[in-house]
Amino acid sequence: MERRTIGATALEVGAIGLGCMPMSWAYTGSQQRGEESVRALHAALDRGTNLLDTADMYGPFTNELLLGRVLRQRRAEAFVSTKVGLLVGDQHVVANGRPAYVRRACDASLRRLQTDVIDLYQLHRADPEVPIEETWGAMADLVRAGKVRALGLCAVGARASRRSGTGVGRPVRGGLHDGTIRQLDRVQQVFPVSAVQAELSVWSPEALERLLPWCEARGVGLLAAMPLGNGYLTGTLTTGGGFEPDDVRARHPRFTAEMMAANQPVVAGLRRVARRHGPEVSPAQVALAWVLSRGRGVIPVPGTKREKWVRENAGASALVLTEGDLEEIAGLPGARGSWD
Ligand SMILES: NC(=O)c1ccc[n+]([C@@H]2O[C@H](COP(=O)([O-])OP(=O)(O)OC[C@H]3O[C@@H](n4cnc5c(N)ncnc54)[C@H](OP(=O)(O)O)[C@@H]3O)[C@@H](O)[C@H]2O)c1
């Protein structure tokens, strides 16, 4: 698999990463598939898909424990990317960016992951009650202590509030990246940012407007979260909607039956491009190859708990889209179904 570097660091990873969230969180049935997930993790490492993206919050905690089972045997092959700053409370997901908490959370993640160093430690959400410089300073101390190799910041969710948690899980769109850029400018004064994680896909390209140029100008990598549009862009979902209440798509405006039907032209376009490259090429691979084509510093982290999707997604690194393909994708209708 093609290798890419994380921003200006010397850290190299396979061009396609693995989002581990669906193994324990956010999608219906996640918790019941532990053994399948372990097989998927081994399959990923076998193929050079070595960036494994998790968070202490996924599960909570069980996602890191699952990774730990594999890292115990194969730590040297993996690039471990986890996150801090969000907690699952009784009613809501809440932010905690207090330095003492960050230090404790890092030690707990290291124990669960069965490793002595985290390759990329990301701030999941800024805590509105703690100056971000304080949180970031505590994370920088973890690098100095040798517990962490590089720092990243997530721009995927909206505001997190210790009090209410309102808005957590809602993707940031368009101009909302302005707030992330302000945060990034502030934390850069404290310690270098090596990577930003943000939603980026054919149907959510907003990060290309200001966030990716910000990253490219400063040698910061971009981890593309949700590169398959929560599964929609793969063309494998039925258009009936009706997700279980524990599935993030049950509350996602693009996953009502009406919007899933309305957005079919996007999937049809990806399918047309895939067919031109041969019967073995899938819309998912086209969607991932498009993300890869956005810049050398962009690394998609498609999420899955299935070995067969890990294999398929890894194959996207060998798919080179033509100018004609890219023009056709650029001409697809914008996605319908908005958070606003
Ligand atoms: N920083 C943040 O706040 C944040 C927020 C969201 C996500 N993320 C990260 O980004 C990663 C990716 O996001 P995501 O997992 O939500 O969305 P995604 O990658 O866009 O889509 C994941 C869904 O696509 C399905 N899938 C994957 N490969 C497929 C293929 N080749 N064919 C058919 N279906 C396929 C998976 O199915 P199965 O579940 O059946 O395997 C899963 O339901 C996460 O795992 C997480 O690491 C970060």
Side-chain angles (χ1 to χ4, degrees):
M1 178 179 298
E2 179 199 336
R3 309 270 294 171
R4 293 192 167 189
T5 51
I6 302 282
T9 69
L11 303 168
E12 250 194 19
V13 293
I16 304 277
L18 174 61
C20 300
M21 185 175 78
M23 297 175 180
S24 326
W25 186 250
Y27 296 102
T28 299
S30 297
Q31 301 284 3
Q32 284 89 51
R33 295 179 176 271
E35 295 314 311
E36 189 173 3
S37 297
V38 168
R39 284 197 299 277
L41 286 162
H42 281 293
L45 293 177
D46 292 345
R47 279 161 187 78
T49 295
N50 69 330
L51 189 162
L52 308 177
D53 187 62
T54 180
D56 55 0
M57 194 197 84
Y58 301 159
F61 311 126
T62 50
N63 202 238
E64 287 188 336
L65 287 167
L66 201 61
L67 258 69
R69 286 174 56 188
V70 174
L71 294 174
R72 192 175 49 198
Q73 303 154 0
R74 302 183 68 172
R75 177 64 185 93
E77 295 165 73
F79 181 95
V80 180
S81 157
T82 191
K83 312 185 188 84
V84 65
L86 281 183
L87 295 158
V88 180
D90 289 342
Q91 305 279 329
H92 299 289
V93 174
V94 294
N96 190 338
R98 299 210 164 123
Y101 169 73
V102 169
R103 286 190 288 275
R104 277 200 314 277
C106 180
D107 285 339
S109 283
L110 287 167
R111 274 195 301 277
R112 285 189 292 271
L113 291 162
Q114 304 203 38
T115 184
D116 53 9
V117 66
I118 292 163
D119 295 304
L120 181 67
Y121 204 39
Q122 299 161 99
L123 180 56
H124 213 161
R125 298 289 184 278
D127 183 338
E129 296 183 7
V130 178
I132 196 166
E133 290 84 352
E134 282 183 26
T135 309
W136 199 257
M139 293 172 70
D141 285 343
L142 296 170
V143 180
R144 294 183 194 105
K147 296 181 179 185
V148 166
R149 290 205 167 97
L151 300 185
L153 189 126
C154 294
V156 179
R159 286 172 299 276
S161 151
R162 186 192 298 274
R163 284 182 303 278
S164 68
T166 310
V168 169
R170 284 182 44 165
V172 169
R173 306 216 171 266
L176 284 172
H177 282 139
D178 294 351
T180 302
I181 288 171
R182 281 194 294 276
Q183 287 178 344
L184 286 165
D185 285 332
R186 285 171 62 185
V187 300
Q188 278 283 70
Q189 306 296 319
V190 178
F191 193 86
V193 181
S194 294
V196 174
Q197 182 166 151
E199 181 176 16
L200 175 60
S201 68
V202 167
W203 78 350
S204 292
E206 294 84 355
L208 301 178
E209 289 167 20
R210 297 200 48 222
L211 200 53
L212 182 59
W214 187 96
C215 291
E216 287 179 337
R218 290 159 185 81
V220 172
L222 183 77
L223 304 195
M226 296 176 267
L228 297 171
N230 301 87
Y232 185 80
L233 299 173
T234 68
T236 58
L237 298 178
T238 59
T239 52
F243 294 95
E244 300 289 329
D246 65 343
D247 194 306
V248 280
R249 294 169 292 195
R251 297 175 301 283
H252 194 309
R254 290 189 184 162
F255 285 90
T256 62
E258 187 192 355
M259 289 306 147
M260 287 182 76
N263 286 318
Q264 278 299 301
V266 181
V267 176
L270 296 175
R271 196 169 273 129
R272 273 196 306 279
V273 173
R275 277 204 205 101
R276 284 206 290 276
H277 287 268
E280 301 299 318
V281 175
S282 68
Q285 289 174 322
V286 174
L288 294 174
W290 179 87
V291 172
L292 286 174
S293 75
R294 298 304 87 194
R296 288 282 314 158
V298 180
I299 297 156
V301 285
T304 184
K305 50 190 162 291
R306 294 172 211 271
E307 200 180 338
K308 64 176 176 177
W309 297 149
V310 165
R311 277 200 302 269
E312 182 176 313
N313 297 344
S317 75
L319 177 62
V320 180
L321 300 178
T322 65
E323 284 302 317
D325 296 333
L326 295 173
E327 266 172 40
E328 180 161 357
I329 293 170
L332 292 174
R336 294 186 49 203
S338 154
W339 291 98
D340 307 320

